[in-house]
Amino acid sequence: RDPRSVAAGIGFSTDVGPRFRGTWTEHWINAMGHRRGAQAELSAPRQSVSAYYELPLDPPMTDAIRFTTGYQNENIEDVKSERFTFGEQWRHQLDNEWMRVLSLRLERENYTIGQQEPNSSQLLLPGISFSKLVADSPMDPSRGYRLQLDVTGAHRQLLSDADIAHVLAVAKGLVTVGNGHRFLGRLQLGAVATNDFDDVPPSLRFFAGGDQSVRGYGYQTLSPKDSDGDTVGGRYLIVGSLEYQYPLSDQWRLATFVDRGNAIDSLNDPLATGVGAGIRWVSPVGPIRLDLAKGLDDDLGGSWRLHFSMGPEL
């Protein structure tokens, strides 16, 4: 193949609006198969640029060590964040086909939450993640599942401003029965353990709501609020979803769904519920989803909302 390639793409979702992405990749640098690349993404609430250098291991199609660096600027709801990252990832596929990633990254984050004074944090974050995807088609599967578990942490005695343990688990499942009747389930659980939550930066707090979370609520608007009514992020994340799709043809489906969840500080805090219906088009670039959802909890910001997104179900 050619040693280098450049790609560009545009997209849209109701979470972030229009977005642009550009990538540059050098697929092979030397006889050992080293590669490197860069990526930039631009949308109204988020702008980022990153670069990497990768060394293949054995077997080279699945295993590698990657060194990364990046910058990301976000302005979403009541949170403004500017984050600089440098780190490494060791990716290894286990014999049972689980992908294991051992990582170590150093992050510097400058942020403002609501009306609070600007703050900053430095964290050295070792982490481990496990993931597995089983599907009968990469673009539009009829059955399969995705499982993922991410664990990261930081300690004040190791170049960090806070003691943090961060856990996020995601499970998605899809089954098709009869003549194309599809049932999808999604569950996200997260938790942050720390001795001072005020020292946890926004990137490690939890927010819910939006196209891929609880529909019928704005993007990342479900969260604990401070005395000024600004969203500040939660210690825990609980989000679940059930969806049924009825086939109209090979490319068109009707959908109905119920979502429930929230980002919370106590497991006794209320969860938000959203219900709705939509249509799915299996386009040449993957499923495109258009949903009309109603958030049932007015006190949590529920309302009628239109959600548009695209990408594989799993």
Side-chain angles (χ1 to χ4, degrees):
R1 65 179 305 168
D2 292 336
R4 301 175 185 86
S5 65
V6 177
I10 57 174
F12 177 88
S13 74
T14 43
D15 280 350
V16 300
R19 63 179 181 268
F20 168 83
R21 175 179 293 177
T23 63
W24 172 85
T25 306
E26 189 166 7
H27 300 280
W28 50 272
I29 300 171
N30 52 36
M32 294 181 290
H34 293 192
R35 60 197 301 258
R36 60 189 172 191
Q39 176 177 298
E41 186 169 325
L42 176 65
S43 66
R46 181 184 297 118
Q47 307 86 44
S48 66
V49 60
S50 61
Y52 69 87
Y53 191 98
E54 186 173 283
L55 291 72
L57 300 176
D58 185 18
M61 294 300 291
T62 58
D63 292 22
I65 292 179
R66 174 177 289 200
F67 299 93
T68 62
T69 185
Y71 166 81
Q72 179 173 282
N73 181 67
E74 282 189 338
N75 188 351
I76 300 176
E77 284 300 312
D78 304 313
V79 177
K80 298 179 181 179
S81 171
E82 187 179 46
R83 182 155 48 111
F84 303 86
T85 303
F86 177 79
E88 68 80 30
Q89 296 177 336
W90 173 25
R91 188 175 68 247
H92 171 60
Q93 188 174 59
L94 304 176
D95 293 339
N96 56 12
E97 297 186 352
W98 281 83
M99 182 63 72
R100 185 192 66 197
V101 178
L102 298 175
S103 62
L104 180 66
R105 68 182 190 270
L106 180 65
E107 290 191 351
R108 176 76 180 182
E109 187 167 356
N110 305 315
Y111 59 91
T112 302
I113 300 176
Q115 307 302 315
Q116 301 174 11
E117 293 294 322
N119 204 344
S120 65
S121 72
Q122 176 177 291
L123 298 173
L124 181 65
L125 293 160
I128 185 171
S129 70
F130 295 92
S131 62
K132 186 173 185 177
L133 172 63
V134 175
D136 57 5
S137 170
M139 192 66 69
D140 183 41
S142 61
R143 61 180 62 248
Y145 63 88
R146 175 189 291 272
L147 301 173
Q148 184 169 338
L149 175 66
D150 299 322
V151 180
T152 57
H155 196 280
R156 291 182 186 273
Q157 295 183 359
L158 297 175
L159 302 177
S160 299
D161 296 331
D163 298 321
I164 298 173
H166 186 278
V167 179
L168 177 64
V170 179
K172 297 181 179 180
L174 166 64
V175 62
T176 302
V177 299
N179 191 20
H181 299 275
R182 296 160 60 89
F183 296 87
L184 295 91
R186 168 170 49 91
L187 180 65
Q188 296 170 279
L189 300 173
V192 177
T194 179
N195 49 19
D196 191 347
F197 191 71
D198 290 339
D199 291 335
V200 179
S203 60
L204 293 177
R205 302 185 184 192
F206 293 109
F207 299 83
D211 302 341
Q212 309 298 321
S213 182
V214 184
R215 287 163 284 189
Y217 301 83
Y219 181 46
Q220 294 195 1
T221 59
L222 289 173
S223 159
K225 294 178 171 56
D226 61 14
S227 58
D228 297 315
D230 296 322
T231 56
V232 299
R235 294 174 178 264
Y236 306 103
L237 177 70
I238 302 175
V239 173
S241 175
L242 291 174
E243 179 171 317
Y244 163 69
Q245 295 179 1
Y246 174 80
L248 297 175
S249 67
D250 290 341
Q251 282 75 41
W252 292 92
R253 302 167 185 143
L254 292 177
T256 182
F257 57 85
V258 56
D259 300 338
R260 185 167 173 81
N262 204 348
I264 52 181
D265 280 337
S266 170
L267 296 179
N268 295 321
D269 290 346
L271 302 181
T273 302
V275 298
I279 192 166
R280 307 288 181 263
W281 174 42
V282 185
S283 76
V285 295
I288 293 178
R289 296 176 285 273
L290 180 64
D291 293 322
L292 179 63
K294 175 65 168 71
L296 302 183
D297 299 277
D298 297 338
D299 56 331
L300 296 177
S303 63
W304 287 101
R305 299 188 69 91
L306 196 65
H307 295 277
F308 177 86
S309 61
M310 60 186 300
E313 303 286 6
L314 299 177

